[in-house]
Amino acid sequence: MRITNRQQTYLTLVGVTALLVASCSQPTAEETQKNEVEAIFPQGEKGPSENFTGNAYNYGLVPDDSTYTTLVGNVYFEPGARSNWHTHPAGQILIITDGVGYHQIEGEPRQTLQKGDVVQCPPNTRHWHGASPDTGMQQLYIVPNTEKGIVEWMEPVTDEQYNNTK
Ligand code: MN
């Protein structure tokens, strides 16, 4: 098939336009995955600085009541943000829905968490959870048997503790 000059010009324009669109487009999937976290629920309310280091946001999904005696919600930790040390009188289940974060039970190595991980924090066990330094973490939390209590807040996780991989 012969390509006329006019067709050639048109094809060149299409090619140049495609290049321009590609070079000005969104970050690649890899870049997006590294630094951004996909939200499922509204961001919610910023957690108080007496219980969190950095910015963490809580959005309640199932309120604590006498029928279910179970509290469910979503927390988004910005990069570097984490909870204080704390315990749950009846334990807690975490379900990670996006990002990269950490969970540590006192006396055990820090665990790295990512999308799809499920963590069971035993009752009355000192622990903390939060985001990694470079990527935020989105987690669902489930606190069962709330008639026993929900959370006992303790001291902040120091930078040394946060960065300790052992
Ligand atoms: Mn907890």
Side-chain angles (χ1 to χ4, degrees), residues 86 88 92 94 121 127 129:
H86 62 280
H88 305 283
Q92 178 184 47
L94 305 175
C121 317
H127 70 281
H129 24 113

Side-chain angles (χ1 to χ4, degrees), residues 62-110:
V62 178
D64 174 33
D65 67 20
S66 58
T67 303
Y68 294 103
T69 62
T70 301
L71 185 68
V72 182
N74 184 74
V75 173
Y76 168 57
F77 291 96
E78 286 185 357
R82 68 266 191 179
S83 71
N84 281 15
W85 289 98
H86 62 280
T87 62
H88 305 283
Q92 178 184 47
I93 297 159
L94 305 175
I95 300 172
I96 313 308
T97 59
D98 207 1
V100 181
Y102 301 142
H103 171 254
Q104 186 174 28
I105 290 174
E106 190 172 48
E108 296 184 7
R110 191 189 71 188

Side-chain angles (χ1 to χ4, degrees), residues 4 35 44 47 58 63-64 66 68 73 85 109 129 131 134 139 143 154 156:
T4 64
N35 294 315
N58 176 66
D64 174 33
S66 58
Y68 294 103
W85 289 98
H129 24 113
D134 297 327
Q139 60 158 56
V143 179
M154 296 159 189

